[in-house]
Amino acid sequence: MLRLDAVSKRYADGTVAVHDLTLDVARGEVCVLVGPSGCGKTTTMRMVNRLIEPTSGRIVLDGRDVTHVDPVALRRGIGYVIQQVGLFPHQTIEANVATVPALLGWDRARARARVRELLELVGLDPEVYARRYPHELSGGQRQRVGVARALAADPPVLLMDEPFGAVDPIARDRLQAEFLRLQAAVRKTVVFVTHDIEEAVRLGDRIAVLRQGGYLEQYAPPRVLLGAPATAFVADFVGSDRGLKRLAVTPIRVADLEQPPVVPASATAGEAGAALDAAGADWAMVVDAAGAPVGWLTRPGLVPQPAPDPVPVTASLKTAFSRLLQADTGWVAVVDGASYLGVLTPATVHEALRRSVAAETPPGSAP
Amino acid sequence: MTEPTGQARPEPIKAVPVRHPGRWVGIVVVAILTAMFLHMLLTNDAFQWQFMFDNMFSEPVLKGAWTTLWVTVVAMILGVVIGVIIAVMRLSPNPVISSAAFAYTWFFRAVPRVVLLVLFGNLGILYAEVGFGLPFGEQLLGLFGLEGSGQIFGVDANKILSGLVAGLLGLSLSEGAYMGEIVRAGIQSIDPGQAEAAQALGMGRGLTMQRIVLPQAMRVIVPPTGNETIAMLKDTALLAFVPVTNELFFQLQAIGSRTFQVFPMLVAACLWYLSMTSVLMVGQYFLEKRFARGVQGRAKEKLLKATVPTGAGIE
């Protein structure tokens, strides 16, 4: 979909911002450019819509070399979400979002309908917000409007330049979740720039780690990046806690879960004791008639006690591990919807993580 | 009452307002001076109030006031247009264009308006005829061995470069230099990120300036432009030097000289300029309000924020 082919950017004073970079982004994929400041990640992104002209190389968008087309027309077909949002303060939210449709000459009714649709998509009520001015919105809301504006003309490609850098951590977390939800719905080809490796791991389908001077160190999915950093620079950049970060991108596998004996909530203490004896276990899970975990029991009382909040099977190992650390039982139940699947223990978390690292590590290389 | 027993209630605080003796002295002084001034206005015969009011609205004066108003408006419109062009030129990365704009500003700000107006009134000496056509037309055609001036049309310079047109030209060109600086300050006050955002969304340079930068710069441009307009209204009195005679101050003074009642007519001039300036100030207030849209800290929006909880349940 988007291909950077040996692209370089050299300034007149001799500094090289991007060095012979080749990068492929598949349709509907989120490519995160990450690296320390001065690594050329923003420069790389801006060369895609020609806010910065590459010195050499080709940029191919949908099979078309865009290095020589009219930049203004090109930009109207590429969504751009700007650092610090960059909304126009003198225009209403509606006018802001309708910027590109207006440039493309859509009629008013069509533009207006599109604005309503987009505001709803990003979770802002058009009745409330369309007529407001940007300063009347919170930072997080403004960022949503920024995303809506970039999506206005339904461009296939979206460029996002540290879009969540200017909001507080809580709003950022929410916006990231929102972005993933939105991306699942609109499936754009996204180039996303950030300096935050956590954000990259959370949002990226593939992550390109760049080093000062615009050298590409590694371009790989987050799991591979964290499990098998290609170079010392990448290992250092992803951090010594990359094992922990991996948790965020490793799913829960039902096969990994432990299966303690299960006792129906209607069972008597005698039946429960028999179940423990039969399994040779010292505790049992109690589930109700619908299969939802309601508690657990152990000797000597054999009375059901409340269990820690269960974790949905769709959650990442990170969420599950966090829940596990908070639980004083030493385990946490995993559920699919409401029904009980098994329990996660520190040993199973470790096992799952080790196996997924092994799966991505090429034989012979250091983990 | 649920007051704990055995504990005396604290006595009410005896608040004594801070005294400001200096203020009172000041108020008395101002009051006395005002009274003296009013007394002088009413009792001094030199004011000739009745005479003044009789002549203040005579036909030539009203015509003069009309001239003053429309010259102000036209000169300001031309000045703003020139100013925007000069400002954009000044900010051009091309050194030839930006130095041309600098030279323009330098010249028209350095020469006093009176001198400029007299100069323009006498421009007819420099050009006998003003024409439009090929630059250096006569010389160019001569090179090809042709006769003629390459001129498309021409008019007698003394006809158009005298009186009002010369005055208007002088005032507008001079205003353009000042407005250029004001507009430049306004454009530079806008975060470069705004222009960048506009370009990233696919606006060309012209459109970015016209839709994004200038509308926002207006907030910075309008207040000093209001001052400029008021200054322009007063500077129309300089038209007399061009010379333009059907202008307000000249007319009032003429009545004064003819009737030997100079002072009342000067007071009349003060009142005329005061009232016209006041009208302009009202206009400026509404303009400023219009261009403050989308700026934080406006009273109306503060009120709106207080009554409607923004982002309830979303952020």
Side-chain angles (χ1 to χ4, degrees), chain B residues 22-39:
Chain B
R23 273 187 204 171
W24 287 105
V25 174
I27 290 170
V28 170
V29 170
V30 170
I32 291 174
L33 287 174
T34 311
M36 283 168 72
F37 182 68
L38 288 176
H39 179 254

Side-chain angles (χ1 to χ4, degrees), chain B residues 186-206:
Chain B
I187 291 174
Q188 285 179 329
S189 74
I190 302 308
D191 179 0
Q194 287 286 314
E196 201 187 292
Q199 266 162 27
L201 291 170
M203 289 194 200
R205 281 177 188 282

Side-chain angles (χ1 to χ4, degrees), chain A residues 144-168:
Chain A
R144 285 156 195 250
V145 177
V147 173
R149 182 173 70 174
L151 289 172
D154 205 18
V157 177
L158 204 56
L159 306 179
M160 304 180 85
D161 186 5
E162 299 200 22
F164 309 142
V167 293
D168 62 87

Side-chain angles (χ1 to χ4, degrees), chain A residues 46 72 75-76 80 82 86-90 99-100 103 123 129 132-133 135-136 138 141 144 149 174, chain B residues 194 196-197 199-203 207 211-212 215-216 293-296 301 304-305 308 310-311 314-315:
Chain A
R46 287 176 172 202
V72 170
R75 288 173 200 149
R76 289 179 190 174
Y80 193 98
I82 297 141
L87 294 184
F88 303 131
H90 62 301
T99 304
V100 180
L103 289 172
Y129 294 99
R132 294 212 179 157
Y133 286 95
H135 76 86
E136 297 172 89
S138 74
Q141 290 170 336
R144 285 156 195 250
R149 182 173 70 174
R174 209 177 296 172
Chain B
Q194 287 286 314
E196 201 187 292
Q199 266 162 27
L201 291 170
M203 289 194 200
L207 218 52
R211 291 211 191 148
I212 305 302
Q216 291 185 58
R293 277 178 318 167
V295 177
Q296 216 146 3
E301 253 128 29
L304 203 128
K305 265 194 158 176
V308 185
T310 21
I314 289 178
E315 274 300 323

Side-chain angles (χ1 to χ4, degrees), chain A residues 61-77:
Chain A
L61 184 63
D62 226 355
R64 189 171 63 123
D65 184 356
V66 296
T67 17
H68 298 288
V69 302
D70 172 30
V72 170
L74 172 72
R75 288 173 200 149
R76 289 179 190 174

Side-chain angles (χ1 to χ4, degrees), chain B residues 284-303:
Chain B
Q284 182 181 354
Y285 169 79
F286 284 106
L287 265 183
E288 281 182 26
K289 224 173 120 172
R290 169 80 168 77
F291 285 107
R293 277 178 318 167
V295 177
Q296 216 146 3
R298 274 178 56 205
K300 191 186 137 202
E301 253 128 29
K302 271 187 187 161
L303 206 85

Side-chain angles (χ1 to χ4, degrees), chain A:
Chain A
M1 175 68 193
L2 174 65
R3 178 175 170 78
L4 276 69
D5 194 2
V7 172
S8 291
K9 177 64 191 179
R10 194 174 290 104
Y11 287 102
D13 64 358
T15 42
V16 178
V18 175
H19 188 96
D20 204 18
L21 183 71
T22 299
L23 210 64
D24 261 307
V25 186
R27 187 179 300 274
E29 186 182 42
V30 179
C31 161
V32 180
L33 301 175
V34 70
S37 44
C39 71
K41 53 189 190 293
T42 300
T43 309
T44 303
M45 193 189 70
R46 287 176 172 202
M47 285 193 290
V48 174
N49 69 353
R50 310 243 322 267
L51 281 176
I52 295 176
E53 298 285 350
T55 321
S56 62
R58 288 195 319 150
I59 293 169
V60 182
L61 184 63
D62 226 355
R64 189 171 63 123
D65 184 356
V66 296
T67 17
H68 298 288
V69 302
D70 172 30
V72 170
L74 172 72
R75 288 173 200 149
R76 289 179 190 174
I78 298 179
Y80 193 98
V81 184
I82 297 141
Q83 229 169 11
Q84 312 290 334
V85 192
L87 294 184
F88 303 131
H90 62 301
Q91 296 183 347
T92 58
I93 298 306
E94 179 167 18
N96 264 286
V97 175
T99 304
V100 180
L103 289 172
L104 293 172
W106 292 19
D107 62 72
R108 283 176 70 94
R110 184 175 167 211
R112 182 161 290 181
R114 179 68 180 153
V115 169
R116 295 184 61 87
E117 184 188 335
L118 281 164
L119 288 180
E120 273 162 19
L121 185 70
V122 299
L124 294 172
D125 180 3
E127 294 299 329
V128 179
Y129 294 99
R131 309 302 306 165
R132 294 212 179 157
Y133 286 95
H135 76 86
E136 297 172 89
L137 271 57
S138 74
Q141 290 170 336
R142 269 184 281 209
Q143 194 55 69
R144 285 156 195 250
V145 177
V147 173
R149 182 173 70 174
L151 289 172
D154 205 18
V157 177
L158 204 56
L159 306 179
M160 304 180 85
D161 186 5
E162 299 200 22
F164 309 142
V167 293
D168 62 87
I170 295 170
R172 185 182 314 152
D173 183 68
R174 209 177 296 172
L175 285 166
Q176 287 171 350
E178 195 87 334
F179 170 77
L180 288 171
R181 179 186 65 77
L182 203 62
Q183 171 63 5
V186 297
R187 282 276 143 218
K188 297 292 176 191
T189 304
V190 181
V191 178
F192 191 109
V193 164
T194 180
H195 57 261
D196 179 1
I197 183 74
E198 309 257 3
E199 185 167 78
V201 166
R202 183 167 182 196
L203 303 181
D205 293 318
R206 276 199 285 174
I207 300 175
V209 181
L210 296 166
R211 172 164 60 87
Q212 271 95 347
Y215 294 89
L216 181 64
E217 288 284 322
Q218 187 170 10
Y219 184 40
R223 283 188 228 183
V224 178
L225 200 74
L226 295 168
T231 65
F233 178 85
V234 177
D236 189 45
F237 188 77
V238 298
S240 51
D241 61 343
R242 63 175 196 264
L244 281 176
K245 292 191 180 108
R246 259 188 85 81
L247 287 173
V249 290
T250 312
I252 296 170
R253 283 197 3 173
V254 179
D256 289 337
L257 301 176
E258 273 181 28
Q259 297 295 343
V262 175
V263 175
S266 56
T268 61
E271 286 165 358
L276 285 183
D277 289 337
D282 48 3
W283 68 277
M285 198 72 190
V286 181
V287 297
D288 65 13
V294 290
W296 64 291
L297 52 75
T298 186
R299 292 188 203 279
L302 292 174
V303 179
Q305 302 167 38
D309 286 344
V311 177
V313 71
T314 49
S316 67
L317 270 187
K318 184 183 174 187
T319 314
F321 189 51
S322 160
R323 203 66 69 74
L324 183 56
L325 290 174
Q326 285 161 346
D328 44 18
T329 46
W331 52 262
V332 64
V334 175
V335 290
D336 181 9
S339 58
Y340 167 77
L341 293 173
V343 298
L344 202 66
T345 64
T348 48
V349 170
H350 185 252
E351 186 55 34
L353 195 61
R354 289 311 310 158
R355 204 194 28 255
S356 86
V357 170
E360 255 110 35
T361 311
S365 72

